Amino acid sequence: MGTDLFVRKFGRDAADAPAILILHGAVESGACYGDAVDRWCGDYHIVAPDARGHGKSPSRLPEHEGVPSTDVMVQDAIDILKDMLDETGRKTLVVGHSMGARIAAFVAADAPYLVAGVVLEDPPWWVPEAGPNPWLSVEQTTIDPFDYADTASVEELMDMQRELKPHWAEQELRPLAEAMKAVHIDYMQQRVHEKRRIWTPTARQITVGPAAVPALLVTGTGDVIVDKHSRERLTAVAPGFDVVVIEGAHHCVRRDKPDEYHRHVDAFLRESAVGRSRHSTLKVSDRASGP
């Protein structure tokens, strides 16, 4: 591939199956989707890069000087998708979480000719759109294993995560711990504090017009970014979005409620892969999805 990122591939051969590009969240890596990969690999070709500044991928390059980190990461994803289009002649399904969902949204808006459908898992879309990141001002009330990444071993980080989230898939705990220790801190800090593009024009661009991309946003009722206020704003500006709210899920919706997540997301992926319209189901709504 024409990218300098570290890229993992799973599942079926690209020539024989629809493809999924996974864009992971901050302080994670492309190895952190093990449970999802197991569920998807029988039907899809899966490409899971480590984002720039994460995992085994490099940080910023000299040519990125003065370019916002988000723009660099969007171009990274577009470069991979162009290679996949050249290889298969088909658009790719894009699935992102948090930081990765933000990147996935910009990719779907800026390069819809590359994207067959996009899944956004609790992207950093808050209101007011131009306001500061609300998570930077929230008082931390529970332990965050990432705070100990410099001093704790991988096994110790796994134990912390296991105690905090005993319901998370065991197979993802080691990749998560390893990713915490591998992240480029300077890159992360720069990215977090950069001025952000307002998300509402992007959301509208994804779903409006002849180049509209099928789009699904998945969030929860717990500690999430896309809360009721954000969902109401999304409904107002981008009524073409499908929205699923999963009862009891927090920011890591997929790990908190994997069966509910996959019930909705897998159906969306199947339908988007064959180009069917989904306007008859899962209309934008504020309903919760129970078990």
Side-chain angles (χ1 to χ4, degrees):
M1 286 185 172
T3 179
D4 63 337
L5 301 186
F6 184 84
V7 178
R8 297 170 181 83
K9 296 182 181 181
F10 308 96
R12 295 175 56 185
D13 188 273
D16 301 328
I20 296 175
L21 174 66
I22 295 175
L23 301 178
H24 63 78
V27 307
E28 296 191 10
S29 76
C32 295
Y33 265 70
D35 180 64
V37 166
D38 283 351
R39 295 172 187 251
W40 292 334
C41 66
D43 297 313
Y44 299 95
H45 174 70
I46 302 166
V47 176
D50 292 350
R52 190 165 299 279
H54 292 70
K56 298 180 180 180
S57 286
S59 189
R60 297 177 68 92
L61 301 177
E63 56 262 36
H64 298 148
E65 185 65 32
V67 181
S69 299
T70 293
D71 292 351
V72 174
M73 297 170 85
V74 169
Q75 188 59 52
D76 284 338
I78 288 176
D79 288 344
I80 293 173
L81 288 169
K82 285 181 177 178
D83 285 344
M84 296 171 72
L85 180 64
D86 290 342
E87 180 180 1
T88 68
R90 296 190 301 271
K91 298 180 180 181
T92 297
L93 300 158
V94 182
V95 177
H97 170 233
S98 193
M99 174 190 79
R102 174 178 170 79
I103 301 305
F106 287 131
V107 169
D110 296 347
Y113 67 96
L114 297 171
V115 181
V118 63
V119 177
L120 309 180
E121 178 188 353
D122 204 31
W125 286 0
W126 54 74
V127 289
E129 299 94 318
N133 183 340
W135 279 27
L136 295 180
S137 60
V138 173
E139 182 179 355
Q140 187 172 311
T141 58
T142 60
I143 186 174
D144 183 349
F146 182 61
D147 292 339
Y148 300 88
D150 285 344
T151 57
S153 67
V154 167
E155 286 71 23
E156 288 169 335
L157 292 172
M158 290 173 64
D159 287 340
M160 291 181 202
Q161 199 69 271
R162 195 178 287 116
E163 182 176 352
L164 287 169
K165 304 287 186 180
H167 55 289
W168 282 13
E170 180 70 20
Q171 73 191 97
E172 297 190 3
L173 299 187
R174 180 171 294 277
L176 281 167
E178 291 173 344
M180 289 179 196
K181 295 184 72 66
V183 71
H184 298 234
I185 299 299
D186 291 345
Y187 183 83
M188 281 294 300
Q189 291 177 340
Q190 177 178 344
R191 186 190 66 81
V192 167
H193 293 286
E194 286 175 341
K195 184 177 181 179
R196 291 176 171 248
R197 291 162 61 180
I198 295 176
W199 63 266
T200 42
T202 299
R204 181 169 178 81
Q205 186 177 347
I206 291 171
T207 58
V208 173
V213 173
L216 171 66
L217 185 145
V218 184
T219 187
T221 60
D223 186 11
V224 294
I225 301 176
V226 182
D227 58 12
K228 186 174 185 294
H229 302 293
S230 296
R231 297 195 302 272
E232 289 174 346
R233 182 65 176 143
L234 176 62
T235 302
V237 301
F241 252 92
D242 291 339
V243 177
V244 169
V245 183
I246 296 179
E247 184 69 32
H250 300 283
H251 179 57
C252 294
V253 182
R254 179 183 63 84
R255 294 193 182 104
D256 283 340
K257 299 289 183 179
D259 291 341
E260 291 91 329
Y261 170 94
H262 281 283
R263 184 167 72 247
H264 294 291
V265 170
D266 293 7
F268 174 87
L269 294 175
R270 286 192 300 270
E271 295 178 15
S272 298
V274 297
R276 293 205 305 261
S277 171
R278 305 184 67 254
H279 292 299
S280 61
T281 60
L282 284 176
K283 287 283 191 177
V284 173
S285 67
D286 193 33
R287 66 177 177 83
S289 172

